[in-house]
Amino acid sequence: RLLNAELEAYKLQPNPLKQAQTLAWLALTQQKLGDFLAAENSLAQSLALIQSLAATVEKNRVHGQILNTQGTIELAQGQAQNALITWQKVEQLYQKAGDRLGVAGAQINQAQAWEVLGFYRRSCNTVLKALEINPPECEQLTPASLAIIAKQPPQIALIGLRSLGNLDRLLGKLDESVKVLAMSLALAQEINSPQEVSKTFFSLGNTQQALAIRAETLNQPKNAEKLRQSAADYYQKAAQLAGEELLLLVHLQQFHLQPSQDLIPLIQAEIASLPPSRTVIYAQVDFAETLANLKAKNPQTPITQAQISRYLEKARQEAVQLQDLQAQSYALGTLGQLSNSQGLLEQALLIAQAENAPEIAYRWQWQLGRIYRQQGKIAEAMAAYRAAFDTLQVLRGDLVALNLDIQFSFREQVEPVYREYAELLLE
């Protein structure tokens, strides 16, 4: 209501620059409420207005804000490539406007898009570029470089450090991740931002979980348990400050750590209350898969297969609504995996391959191999396992080139594929 009132006021003045800016804010609000058609319409009006104005420094700055909103909406809908292109335009506009904070923010947003697209090294280097670290290469990052980052304006530095800490975790640099995230947390607390503090607590919890997995791999059960407790503590702190979407992710991570019946209705309610986005769709799929695993281990769990399937079907429908093909593949393939459906897995695989998403494609190739093997179709099973093996070789080559420590998490996820393929070859 407030934004609509402001919009009407700027129409009467008239002030087309403020009108365009307010329309962009309105679009972002509408998207978060799940009204995608209204958001697209508001954004289109905003862009039409700003493009009709004569070039000025202020116009460039507002145009950058509007396109920044467009990129945020595109990423939320799973259009990472489009978001990347949009944020590159934002960077150029802020450079013309002489807005240092705007340029850095656009570059950090680009890093998020590169991460979603699977280019972790490029994402990490883009963060360093945003923070003016030379050379902007993660492989050459030194303690002195981190000290330079910490001296940047806190609003830039804390987000950049958190992005860098998250990327360190994805690259297997877990000890570095803890240090960098601790620096981000100190800056978030310094500027007294509960939202940023919550996000950083969540990231620290994820890194502690990764450290626990590594400890288990190294046969260190006592250390692993200590690290899991540390992760739980961070998640609890994040939950106390979190907004709705982050709270859902926090509860999901807590559920992974220690499946508690008390968390099931909380997560169900949070999923139902949030408008569709890639984050919410992936959370639904993740929740359904976790429930299925829990049900397999403990048949007394008060959840039915039909309920689990409904979560996945709802996630698929929301992905269709968002036109997010990668999310569609993720939901459809997981449904096919849990129901042992060859048809659903084949559909999911076709989508993943069309979207060039090898991190998803290998899962469906693997599951198809399992189904063919159960059916006694050995030639088809061999072909499917071979395809999964080849896809993983591409992924493994890219990831391990970044950091050898990532083998810990990578091995845990894909070891069954290699083992089952080897068994089939021996047979």
Side-chain angles (χ1 to χ4, degrees):
R1 288 179 182 177
L2 181 60
L3 287 174
N4 280 318
E6 286 185 4
L7 188 59
E8 291 304 315
Y10 291 133
K11 285 180 183 177
L12 291 172
Q13 288 182 8
N15 189 332
L17 195 66
K18 286 289 187 181
Q19 191 179 335
Q21 188 179 46
T22 306
L23 278 164
W25 291 336
L26 182 61
L28 188 59
T29 302
Q30 289 164 332
Q31 183 266 331
K32 288 185 176 180
L33 293 172
D35 194 344
F36 300 104
L37 288 176
E40 288 176 7
N41 182 51
S42 296
L43 188 60
Q45 290 182 58
S46 176
L47 287 167
L49 267 174
I50 198 70
Q51 287 164 357
S52 70
L53 301 177
T56 64
V57 170
E58 185 62 13
K59 180 211 169 175
N60 286 333
R61 188 181 64 79
V62 174
H63 195 181
Q65 291 175 356
I66 294 167
L67 287 181
N68 194 49
T69 294
Q70 179 179 322
T72 300
I73 292 173
E74 286 169 338
L75 191 68
Q77 294 178 328
Q79 301 168 17
Q81 186 67 49
N82 291 343
L84 176 64
I85 293 168
T86 298
W87 281 324
Q88 287 170 341
K89 293 176 183 176
V90 171
E91 180 183 354
Q92 294 170 0
L93 286 165
Y94 279 132
Q95 284 175 339
K96 288 180 182 178
D99 188 333
R100 161 78 182 93
L101 286 173
V103 169
Q107 290 169 337
I108 287 173
N109 283 339
Q110 289 170 45
Q112 293 181 58
W114 282 123
E115 181 181 329
V116 171
L117 290 167
F119 294 92
Y120 297 123
R121 177 190 281 118
R122 195 168 299 182
S123 178
C124 189
N125 291 345
T126 303
V127 170
L128 297 186
K129 181 182 175 184
L131 299 173
E132 299 185 330
I133 300 301
N134 290 308
E137 296 180 8
C138 288
E139 290 87 344
Q140 300 184 34
L141 194 62
T142 65
S145 300
L146 288 175
I148 294 171
I149 294 173
K151 293 178 181 177
Q152 302 290 325
Q155 292 85 350
I156 294 179
L158 75 90
I159 296 172
L161 286 167
R162 187 171 62 239
S163 297
L164 187 58
N166 288 334
L167 286 164
D168 279 338
R169 181 179 63 255
L170 290 169
L171 303 178
K173 299 160 68 175
L174 302 182
D175 296 328
E176 290 90 336
S177 176
V178 173
K179 293 176 185 176
V180 173
L181 289 173
M183 293 173 66
S184 177
L185 177 63
L187 289 172
Q189 291 170 329
E190 179 184 322
I191 66 169
N192 194 25
S193 172
Q195 183 180 16
E196 300 298 343
V197 170
S198 177
K199 288 179 181 178
T200 310
F201 276 141
F202 179 69
S203 294
L204 281 162
N206 289 342
T207 298
Q208 293 299 309
Q209 274 219 68
L211 283 164
I213 292 170
R214 186 171 73 178
E216 288 171 348
T217 304
L218 295 173
N219 196 26
Q220 299 172 348
K222 289 184 179 179
N223 190 30
E225 180 57 35
K226 180 181 177 182
L227 289 164
R228 277 194 295 270
Q229 184 56 54
S230 177
D233 292 342
Y234 278 125
Y235 290 141
Q236 183 61 37
K237 291 176 182 177
Q240 291 169 356
L241 302 169
E244 288 185 355
E245 194 165 278
L246 183 61
L247 186 60
L248 169 61
L249 299 180
V250 170
H251 284 155
L252 275 172
Q253 292 296 75
Q254 289 173 324
F255 194 58
H256 290 321
L257 269 179
Q258 186 175 359
S260 167
Q261 303 296 335
D262 296 338
L263 280 174
I264 292 177
L266 273 177
I267 296 171
Q268 289 172 327
E270 284 161 8
I271 287 174
S273 69
L274 292 170
S277 69
R278 174 175 279 195
T279 300
V280 175
I281 291 168
Y282 273 51
Q284 287 183 73
V285 175
D286 188 20
F287 184 47
E289 198 168 19
T290 304
L291 286 175
N293 292 335
L294 184 61
K295 184 74 173 177
K297 294 176 182 176
N298 181 11
Q300 303 304 315
T301 301
I303 196 81
T304 66
Q305 183 61 47
Q307 287 175 299
I308 294 170
S309 296
R310 280 199 294 272
Y311 277 120
L312 293 170
E313 178 56 26
K314 182 173 181 287
R316 187 195 67 80
Q317 290 175 358
E318 290 180 355
V320 170
Q321 179 186 348
L322 292 178
Q323 299 181 344
D324 187 341
L325 291 173
Q326 189 166 317
Q328 286 180 48
S329 175
Y330 191 44
L332 198 61
T334 304
L335 183 58
Q337 177 182 335
L338 297 180
S339 60
N340 212 35
S341 169
Q342 179 181 331
L344 293 177
L345 285 165
E346 288 173 344
Q347 290 179 53
L349 177 58
L350 285 173
I351 295 172
Q353 289 174 326
E355 285 295 288
N356 191 27
E359 70 280 5
I360 297 178
Y362 89 84
R363 293 182 58 172
W364 314 146
Q365 291 163 333
W366 170 32
Q367 296 304 318
L368 283 168
R370 284 180 153 185
I371 289 176
Y372 290 137
R373 189 178 180 187
Q374 291 166 3
Q375 295 172 345
K377 298 178 179 178
I378 301 305
E380 290 88 342
M382 289 283 288
Y385 271 102
R386 178 70 201 185
F389 176 85
D390 289 342
T391 302
L392 283 170
Q393 289 301 97
V394 172
L395 274 175
R396 187 177 185 277
D398 181 44
L399 295 174
V400 174
L402 292 166
N403 192 287
L404 292 175
D405 288 344
I406 200 167
Q407 290 182 41
F408 283 109
S409 57
F410 189 80
R411 182 172 63 190
E412 183 196 27
Q413 294 175 35
V414 306
E415 183 182 16
V417 185
Y418 291 118
R419 186 179 64 248
E420 291 170 21
Y421 183 36
E423 289 171 357
L424 192 59
L425 287 170
L426 289 171
E427 288 174 9

